[in-house]
């Protein structure tokens, strides 16, 4: 009796059992995790236990990856992803998801259970990381240092596994080295070394609105009291928003950040790679994605305006910019931005996108007006709730904890406001697109199966239509797994970039012209190209 295969590709393979080497590697990795769990019980483990745990976890992943990929032919292997419990929402997947979710809940709201003590010596797991923290930053560890260390370890160890898996594709190799470099150097080491130098904590690759605390009152105070270094940090943060990000997105699309730099994307692409096929490809999911991610963008804009307004209200004598001028300037900038898009790019917006843009602008302007006429400041309250609901619950608990259930880009797809900003820039102004050659597509479905952003790539490829989706992070996996070379990541002219009605069969533009003439002829028989 045949069994139903739930994967979208035609090349699904039966699940392979773990080899003896892979079982040993799994045991080694879990031994390292067991040491970390032991530390939770306040056993006062010596510092070499920390180095041993980190080494065992990394060694387990490396041995497992070597046995899985080295000595075998390069190229994508489905390896029964829809048949394994861990990658097909089975018991192991649910168990892993529950453990990750519980870890994030404790990390964000109950760090005491990890041993963090802000008023005295640490205990438990946090105390185990004290030696490493003192070595890097000169300070005792916090729950965030523990998290940052484990986060970086995951990207580096599973990044090695990713490099072996996609070693046949130069693009995947380069961007994986990139995310490993930026996570280790810019996201982990540089901020900690700044603390050692008595400077404000600053992660240069965490850009607003993803870094929603950039303009919080306490952060602005840190920048202004740190002298020229602090002002340079603030200037770089602002330049990243209005100069660096638009320029790089114009040339390369949002992939320069989401797939090459961002730590959220780095974890998703490395540790989350086994779950990329779980993303929902339905149209309903796509609609929900568009509504919720832009709603969150509106929330973070309102929250940011509120916290800066509150800061200026409490420090009126220290700055040339007063609170009301800031409100008027914010409103003017948003109206100008909306006007430019509406005048030059509204033909690129669907009807629901136009309505959503108008509603969003009206809501933000109404809230700004409420701030002005009431004189009340809600900045700290809005920041508190945004941090709780979006910054913690969504990005951490759901965004990572639900990897094994909803796929590895849940946060990037549905929640990240930075992805929303870059997505709009990519859709409307970028030169980036994924070109397709429909004449060579064999509809195997590998591309759609492995798209982590829920894009049905095969539907575009079958028509030979360029893929210009706001959600596309340019990871290039669809191209890497295509057996026919149908998909290519390219930067080119804006003319003809969006060709939703331009191709029906292959890339035969002449045939399209003929069909368009036929449509015209159906309305005016005298204009038919066949009447000669």
């Amino acid at each position: 009796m045949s069994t139903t295969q739930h994967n979208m590709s035609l090349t699904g393979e039966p699940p392979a059992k773990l080899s003896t080497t892979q079982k040993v590697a799994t045991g080694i990795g879990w031994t390292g995790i067991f040491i970390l769990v032991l530390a939770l019980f306040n056993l006062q483990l010596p510092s070499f236990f920390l180095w041993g745990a980190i080494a065992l976890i990394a060694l387990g992943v490396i041995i497992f990856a070597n046995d899985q990929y080295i000595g075998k032919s390069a190229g994508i292997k489905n390896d029964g992803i829809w048949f394994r419990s861990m990658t097909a929402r089975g018991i192991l997947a649910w168990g892993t998801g529950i453990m990750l979710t519980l870890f994030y809940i404790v990390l964000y709201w109950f760090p005491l259970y990890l041993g963090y003590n802000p008023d005295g010596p640490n205990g438990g797991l946090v105390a185990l990381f004290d030696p490493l923290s003192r070595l890097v930053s000169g300070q005792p560890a916090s729950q965030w240092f523990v998290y940052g260390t484990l986060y970086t370890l995951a990207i580096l160890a599973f990044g090695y596994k990713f490099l072996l898996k996609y070693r046949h594709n130069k693009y995947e190799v380069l961007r994986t080295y990139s995310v490993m470099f930026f996570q280790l150097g810019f996201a982990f080491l540089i901020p900690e070394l700044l603390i050692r130098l008595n400077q404000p904590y600053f992660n240069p690759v965490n850009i607003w609105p993803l870094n929603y605390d950039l303009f919080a009152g306490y952060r602005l105070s840190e920048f202004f009291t740190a002298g020229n270094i602090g002002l340079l940090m603030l200037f770089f943060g602002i330049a990243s928003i209005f100069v660096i990000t638009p320029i790089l997105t114009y040339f390369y699309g949002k992939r320069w950040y989401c797939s090459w730099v961002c730590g959220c994307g780095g974890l998703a692409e490395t540790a989350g790679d086994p779950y990329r096929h779980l993303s929902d490809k339905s149209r309903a999911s796509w609609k929900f994605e568009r509504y919720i991610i832009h709603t969150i963008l509106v929330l973070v804009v309102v929250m940011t305006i509120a916290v800066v307004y509150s800061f200026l209200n409490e420090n009126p004598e220290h700055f040339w910019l007063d609170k009301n001028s800031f409100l008027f300037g914010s409103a003017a900038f948003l109206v100008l931005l909306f006007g430019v898009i509406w005048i030059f790019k509204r033909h690129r917006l669907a009807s629901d996108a136009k309505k959503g843009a108008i509603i969003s602008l009206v809501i933000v302007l109404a809230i700004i007006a409420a701030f002005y006429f009431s004189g009340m400041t809600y900045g700290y309250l809005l920041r508190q709730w945004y941090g709780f609901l979006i910054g913690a619950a969504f990005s951490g608990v759901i965004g990572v904890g639900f990897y094994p259930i909803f796929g590895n880009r849940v946060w990037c797809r549905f929640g990240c406001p930075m992805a929303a900003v870059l997505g709009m820039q990519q859709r409307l102004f970028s030169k980036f697109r994924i070109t397709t050659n429909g004449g060579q597509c064999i509809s195997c479905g590998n591309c759609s199966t492995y798209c982590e952003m829920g894009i049905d790539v095969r539907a575009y490829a079958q028509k030979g239509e360029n893929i210009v989706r706001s959600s596309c992070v340019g990871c290039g996996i669809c191209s890497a797994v295509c057996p026919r070379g149908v998909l290519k990541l390219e930067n080119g002219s804006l003319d003809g970039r969006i060709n939703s009605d331009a191709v029906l069969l292959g890339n035969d533009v002449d045939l399209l012209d003929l069909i368009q003439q036929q449509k015209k002829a159906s309305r005016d028989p005298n204009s038919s190209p066949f009447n000669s």
Side-chain angles (χ1 to χ4, degrees):
M1 182 176 179
S2 62
T3 57
T4 302
Q5 294 193 20
H6 298 286
N7 58 319
M8 298 177 68
S9 67
L10 299 178
T11 55
E13 300 171 5
K17 295 181 180 180
L18 294 180
S19 67
T20 301
T21 302
Q22 291 172 354
K23 292 178 181 178
V24 171
T26 303
I28 293 174
W30 275 105
T31 301
I33 295 176
F34 179 70
I35 293 175
L36 299 181
V37 173
L38 280 180
L40 291 173
F41 296 96
N42 248 336
L43 298 180
Q44 302 297 322
L45 299 176
S47 59
F48 70 83
F49 273 81
L50 171 63
W51 310 114
I54 293 175
L56 288 173
I57 293 172
L59 185 63
V61 175
I62 291 172
I63 294 175
F64 190 102
N66 286 345
D67 185 76
Q68 189 172 17
Y69 298 112
I70 292 181
K72 298 180 182 179
S73 60
I76 188 64
K77 308 289 190 303
N78 285 316
D79 292 332
I81 53 173
W82 277 112
F83 300 90
R84 294 180 183 274
S85 177
M86 181 61 83
T87 57
R89 302 190 182 103
I91 295 177
L92 291 179
W94 279 98
T96 302
I98 291 172
M99 287 193 297
L100 286 172
T101 300
L102 291 175
F103 170 74
Y104 272 92
I105 291 175
V106 173
L107 177 75
Y108 279 106
W109 297 298
F110 307 100
L112 177 66
Y113 293 106
L114 297 178
Y116 176 59
N117 182 10
D119 301 319
N122 290 319
L125 180 64
V126 179
L128 184 65
F129 282 77
D130 274 341
L132 178 59
S133 180
R134 294 185 185 278
L135 176 65
V136 179
S137 68
Q139 303 290 332
S142 67
Q143 80 272 33
W144 301 120
F145 181 83
V146 173
Y147 178 55
T149 303
L150 296 178
Y151 198 101
T152 303
L153 174 63
I155 290 180
L156 295 179
F158 287 99
Y160 174 79
K161 181 174 180 288
F162 190 94
L163 287 170
L164 291 184
K165 182 178 181 180
Y166 296 97
R167 63 189 184 277
H168 63 288
N169 190 288
K170 184 178 180 180
Y171 179 81
E172 300 303 327
V173 171
L174 289 176
R175 76 178 185 86
T176 303
Y177 278 126
S178 176
V179 297
M180 293 166 70
F181 168 76
F182 278 104
Q183 175 59 34
L184 177 61
F186 285 75
F188 181 64
L189 291 179
I190 287 180
E192 298 295 336
L193 291 174
L194 286 172
I195 293 178
R196 191 178 191 91
L197 298 173
N198 295 318
Q199 299 297 333
Y201 183 95
F202 184 69
N203 178 359
V205 301
N206 196 15
I207 302 174
W208 184 93
L210 181 60
N211 178 15
Y212 59 89
D213 267 353
L214 178 64
F215 300 107
Y218 80 96
R219 294 290 287 149
L220 292 176
S221 297
E222 288 179 351
F223 290 143
F224 291 131
T225 56
N228 292 334
I229 295 296
L231 292 178
L232 180 62
M233 292 177 182
L234 180 59
F235 175 78
F236 181 82
I238 296 174
S240 297
I241 302 169
F242 298 106
V243 180
I244 299 174
T245 289
I247 291 176
L248 291 177
T249 306
Y250 170 75
F251 285 106
Y252 305 108
K254 65 192 290 186
R255 58 176 171 160
W256 76 267
Y257 186 77
C258 296
S259 291
W260 287 71
V261 173
C262 179
C264 302
L267 187 70
E269 291 295 329
T270 53
D273 176 68
Y275 307 109
R276 63 188 314 120
H277 59 286
L278 298 176
S279 61
D280 190 346
K281 310 298 192 299
S282 67
R283 181 172 292 272
S285 178
W286 182 19
K287 289 183 178 180
F288 178 70
E289 167 193 333
R290 294 164 64 194
Y291 289 131
I292 189 172
I293 196 171
H294 292 104
T295 299
I296 292 175
L297 177 60
V298 170
L299 290 177
V300 76
V301 169
V302 170
M303 185 270 294
T304 301
I305 292 174
V307 296
V308 176
Y309 179 76
S310 299
F311 180 77
L312 293 175
N313 181 66
E314 295 173 357
N315 303 273
E317 70 282 356
H318 294 154
F319 304 100
W320 60 268
L321 180 65
D322 65 79
K323 61 179 183 179
N324 291 329
S325 297
F326 169 72
L327 288 182
F328 289 132
S330 299
F333 173 78
L334 292 174
V335 171
L336 177 63
L337 178 63
F338 178 86
V340 170
I341 294 176
W342 192 263
I343 293 172
F344 296 102
K345 295 293 182 178
R346 67 177 182 275
H347 61 286
R348 296 299 189 196
L349 298 173
S351 58
D352 60 339
K354 294 177 182 178
K355 294 177 182 177
I358 294 173
I359 293 173
S360 299
L361 180 64
V362 170
I363 290 175
V364 175
L365 293 179
I367 294 175
I368 291 177
F371 288 159
Y372 175 75
F373 288 109
S374 69
M376 300 181 66
T377 57
Y378 305 94
Y380 301 121
L381 179 63
L382 289 175
R383 176 186 167 274
Q384 181 181 3
W385 279 102
Y386 182 91
F388 171 77
L389 294 174
I390 309 301
F394 202 154
S395 68
V397 176
I398 296 176
V400 179
F402 284 27
Y403 271 11
I405 308 303
F406 297 123
N408 60 326
R409 287 274 191 172
V410 177
W411 163 247
C412 307
R413 184 180 176 190
F414 296 100
C416 179
M418 183 67 177
V421 171
L422 295 176
M424 288 190 292
Q425 294 175 356
Q426 175 171 273
R427 172 72 180 179
L428 299 176
F429 304 105
S430 177
K431 302 175 71 174
F432 170 71
R433 83 290 308 272
I434 298 179
T435 60
T436 64
N437 186 343
Q440 291 188 351
C441 177
I442 59 174
S443 299
C444 69
N446 271 355
C447 53
S448 292
T449 297
Y450 285 95
C451 180
E452 60 194 351
M453 298 305 294
I455 302 173
D456 188 2
V457 181
R458 178 171 58 182
Y460 291 87
Q462 288 171 333
K463 296 182 293 183
E465 179 182 341
N466 288 346
I467 301 174
V468 187
R469 283 270 286 269
S470 298
S471 56
C472 177
V473 294
C475 67
I477 296 296
C478 59
S479 176
V481 301
C482 178
R484 298 280 293 171
V486 172
L487 305 160
K488 293 184 179 179
L489 283 68
E490 297 184 358
N491 303 315
S493 171
L494 295 177
D495 296 333
R497 174 172 170 263
I498 298 178
N499 63 338
S500 57
D501 61 344
V503 183
L504 296 178
L505 295 174
N507 292 320
D508 196 337
V509 179
D510 292 334
L511 177 60
L512 171 67
D513 292 339
L514 189 62
I515 294 175
Q516 295 291 354
Q517 292 179 49
Q518 278 189 286
K519 290 181 179 179
K520 184 178 180 180
S522 65
R523 297 188 295 269
D524 182 8
N526 294 326
S527 65
S528 172
F530 299 104
N531 292 336
S532 57

